[in-house]
Amino acid sequence: MQTLSHEQALALLRRYNSEPFHIQHALTVEGVMRWYANDLGYGDDADFWATVGLLHDIDFEQYPEQHCLKAPDLLREAGVGEDVIRAVCSHGWGLTVDIKPEHQMEKVLYAADELTGLIGACALMRPSKSVQDMEVKSVKKKFKTASFAAGCSRDVIRSGAELLGWELEELMQKTILAMRSCEAEIQEEMSRL
C-alpha cells in the first residue's frame, strides 16, 4: 500500500482547509493515529494510519453538509488510494455514511476523532493549556457536561469505545497519552504555517 508522505498529505489537506483550528485538529488526529498504530502492534502501518488521520476531515471546512460524502471525490482527484478513502469515510458512520468501521484502524479513528476535540478543549481550560498534565478524571467530568465542547459527540465516543471493546476510561487514557506524544511537534508545525 503506497502512502502519501506527510508533506504531500498536508499540502492536499491545505488545498481544502485554511482554518488553523481545522489544520491543528487534522495534525492532532494524525499524531494520535500514529501513536495508536505503534501502541496496538501495527507499527509497520503507522504512516498509513497517520495519513488517514491527517486527511480524515478533508471535506469538512468547505463542505460541512457533505462531510465524508465529498471526501472520496477530493481524494480520488489527488490520486489517493481506495484504502485511505474507505478509512476516511468510515469515521462518518451513522452520521453521514453507512460505511461501518471494520479494521482496527478505522475503529480507532472513529473512537478517537471526537475525543481529541473534547480532550483538546479540556486542555485549553487548564493553566498549562497542555495535555501533558491532563488526567482522565478531568476529561470524564467534562464528558458528563453536555454543554462543554458540545460539538464533540458523546454518543460517537461511547459507540467508538464499544466498537473497540474498551471501557470509556481506557479510550480516554490512551488518547491522552497519544495526544501527549505529538503535542510539541504540532505546536511547532502550527507556528510554521
Side-chain angles (χ1 to χ4, degrees):
M1 96 182 49
Q2 189 261 334
T3 12
L4 300 172
S5 69
H6 168 76
E7 291 71 24
Q8 292 168 317
L10 184 59
L12 177 57
L13 176 78
R14 293 192 66 196
R15 193 180 305 165
Y16 302 101
N17 291 267
S18 58
E19 288 289 323
F21 176 83
H22 291 147
I23 293 168
Q24 183 167 351
H25 173 66
L27 290 168
T28 299
V29 177
E30 174 192 34
V32 164
M33 292 299 288
R34 179 177 300 285
W35 183 90
Y36 267 112
N38 288 310
D39 185 65
L40 298 173
Y42 296 90
D44 291 349
D45 294 330
D47 289 343
F48 176 69
W49 285 46
T51 298
V52 169
L54 185 58
L55 295 175
H56 80 286
D57 277 347
I58 189 164
D59 60 1
F60 189 75
E61 188 176 312
Q62 289 187 15
Y63 309 96
E65 301 304 313
Q66 295 175 278
H67 183 40
C68 295
L69 299 171
K70 193 75 178 156
D73 297 338
L74 306 181
L75 294 168
R76 276 190 196 109
E77 194 180 293
V80 174
E82 292 300 317
D83 49 354
V84 172
I85 294 170
R86 192 209 127 75
V88 161
C89 293
S90 73
H91 90 280
W93 176 58
L95 303 168
T96 56
V97 297
D98 58 5
I99 301 165
K100 185 175 182 183
E102 301 290 348
H103 185 280
Q104 187 76 351
M105 179 264 296
E106 295 171 345
K107 293 175 184 178
V108 168
L109 175 64
Y110 179 79
D113 174 30
E114 296 283 315
L115 186 53
T116 63
L118 181 70
I119 293 170
C122 290
L124 292 176
M125 304 297 290
R126 303 179 77 72
S128 67
K129 305 272 189 253
S130 168
V131 292
Q132 299 304 323
D133 57 357
M134 179 70 63
E135 298 292 332
V136 171
K137 65 178 187 225
S138 306
V139 178
K140 278 174 71 176
K141 190 174 170 187
K142 296 294 189 191
F143 183 86
K144 291 175 185 163
T145 309
S147 60
F148 180 81
C152 301
S153 168
R154 273 55 168 183
D155 290 343
V156 168
I157 296 168
R158 272 190 217 93
S159 172
E162 236 169 80
L163 266 180
L164 287 161
W166 298 350
E167 292 298 320
L168 197 52
E169 212 163 293
E170 182 181 0
L171 176 63
M172 289 175 175
Q173 182 62 55
K174 284 179 178 292
T175 305
I176 290 169
L177 292 174
M179 289 176 72
R180 283 180 188 163
S181 77
C182 57
E183 186 177 63
E185 205 177 306
I186 291 164
Q187 286 170 349
E188 191 182 311
E189 190 145 9
M190 288 301 293
S191 72
R192 290 197 302 264
L193 296 179

